[in-house]
Amino acid sequence: MTAKIVTLSGDGIGPEIMAAGLKVLEAVAPKINFDYELDAELFGGAAIDATGNPLPDKTLEAAKNADAILHAAIGDPKFDGAEIRPEQGLLRIRKELGLFANVRPLKIYEALKHLSPIKNVENVDFVTIRELTGGVYFGEHTLEADKAQDINDYSRAEIERVARFAFETAQKRPRKKVTSVDKQNVLATSKLWRKVVDEVAKDYPDVTLEHQLVDSCAMLLITNPQKFDVIVTENLFGDILTDEASSLAGTLGCSASSSHGTGTAFYEPIHGSAPDIAGQSIANPVSMILSVAMMLRESFDNEAGAAMIEAAVEKTLADGIFTKDLGGDATTQVMTKAILTRL
Ligand code: NAD
Ligand code: IPM
Ligand code: MN
């Protein structure tokens, strides 16, 4: 079978890191007998420039019919204040594909421990399951001259399916623990969230469940990150907490993610288009390269390919080859080449 992979390079550093990810895929494929074809489609700001739409119909059709999607990043400050923005394309494709569970693992590399802002990062190993197609992102937004509002809503079904995803994730991990993060002391959506998560937990008696309010969770990520195994939380809290968590690893530039639901799975770094460093060949490609690894493991059941890529990344970092965000001077291309050599 030939795997059909749609690639969405997007904006800013997107094309630079996508090129790196695809080089690694090309190099690993013959080693694992992975047969694939690529279909590059317009997305984000690049698609607005070309078609006026951040998610053109052709891109959406291709994405729906693919076996997996690789996305780099979208976003460009030139659209600030514009009515049509690249981010709308990203939200819409997540919704259209029903990608309700965004998996954001945190890995702290031995070679990057010195970059962590906290002193003790031993035994930090958790994954955040961020709800991705609901909440305030998708409620009605109204903006008037002197008043604005964003509606946050969640249905029981939306909470239940992402909670099940989190418990099933925890069942596959040694510690089998879920921390559900909410703001139930204030928000109605969070009251329902906590109730539904408690109900779902009864079906997973082998998993330990604890609840944490989001503000103190943000504090514990810094003071006691060892306490977390699987975090499950709503869309906005998950967005914020995972950027915070990535800083424990010393950089945003090494954090990959996968999104799952009813349609084609989607693989992307957690960071954005980094306009401040775009076009300079200094972006860290590791987030994209690890997204390729997640794709091989989760969409194509190819543990060997994923493990090979992850080992090559780890070895490259252990050998002290660092991009600028890691305190080094390796360009995107040098870093990618170093990873390819170690494959
Ligand atoms: P950002 O994640 O793009 O960048 C934050 C900081 O991290 C910047 O200093 C950037 O240079 C650095 N950084 C990020 N990725 C890096 C990498 N691979 N290597 C080295 N440094 C890296 O966040 P932002 O600046 O707040 O947002 C910029 C744009 O990206 C906005 O338009 C935003 O909407 C968009 N965005 C898109 C996605 C996505 O496509 N999934 C995610 C987040 C933000
Ligand atoms: C992310 C991004 C997006 C989000 C933006 C670009 C809409 O920050 O993928 O984390 O908030 O989901
Ligand atoms: Mn984000």
Side-chain angles (χ1 to χ4, degrees), residues 13 17 71-77 85 87 90 94 243 251-253 268-277 282-285 287 325:
I13 61 168
I17 61 172
H71 171 237
I74 50 87
D76 190 317
R85 295 184 54 109
E87 290 82 355
L90 184 59
R94 288 171 177 169
D243 266 32
T251 179
L252 249 182
E268 60 175 341
I270 80 163
H271 62 70
S273 56
D276 53 337
I277 59 163
I282 57 171
N284 186 343
S287 56
D325 56 312

Side-chain angles (χ1 to χ4, degrees), residues 196-255:
V196 174
V197 171
D198 275 332
E199 286 167 16
V200 168
K202 296 195 183 102
D203 291 340
Y204 304 87
D206 53 332
V207 177
T208 311
L209 169 66
E210 64 179 20
H211 297 283
Q212 192 71 46
L213 295 171
V214 64
D215 46 356
S216 55
C217 178
M219 178 272 295
L220 288 165
L221 281 175
I222 304 297
T223 55
N224 188 12
Q226 288 82 358
K227 97 183 237 71
F228 299 108
D229 181 19
V230 176
I231 293 174
V232 63
T233 191
E234 67 163 270
N235 205 341
L236 183 63
F237 299 161
D239 179 46
I240 298 167
L241 293 177
T242 52
D243 266 32
E244 183 193 355
S246 80
S247 73
L248 298 175
T251 179
L252 249 182
C254 290
S255 289

Side-chain angles (χ1 to χ4, degrees), residues 98-110:
L99 301 172
F100 62 83
N102 179 213
V103 181
R104 296 187 160 189
L106 180 74
K107 178 168 166 71
I108 313 250
Y109 288 97
E110 196 59 43

Side-chain angles (χ1 to χ4, degrees), residues 89-153:
L90 184 59
L91 299 186
R92 191 169 154 230
I93 200 169
R94 288 171 177 169
K95 190 72 164 183
E96 293 274 356
L97 297 172
L99 301 172
F100 62 83
N102 179 213
V103 181
R104 296 187 160 189
L106 180 74
K107 178 168 166 71
I108 313 250
Y109 288 97
E110 196 59 43
L112 300 184
K113 281 188 173 156
H114 64 287
L115 295 177
S116 183
I118 67 167
K119 287 187 223 113
N120 177 14
V121 281
E122 294 306 319
N123 304 314
V124 174
D125 176 12
F126 64 87
V127 56
T128 304
I129 310 298
R130 170 191 176 194
E131 200 291 325
L132 202 61
T133 52
V136 72
Y137 277 75
F138 294 94
E140 195 188 340
H141 308 287
T142 53
L143 175 60
E144 294 159 32
D146 302 311
K147 186 176 178 319
Q149 71 174 7
D150 302 283
I151 304 291
N152 187 17
D153 59 33

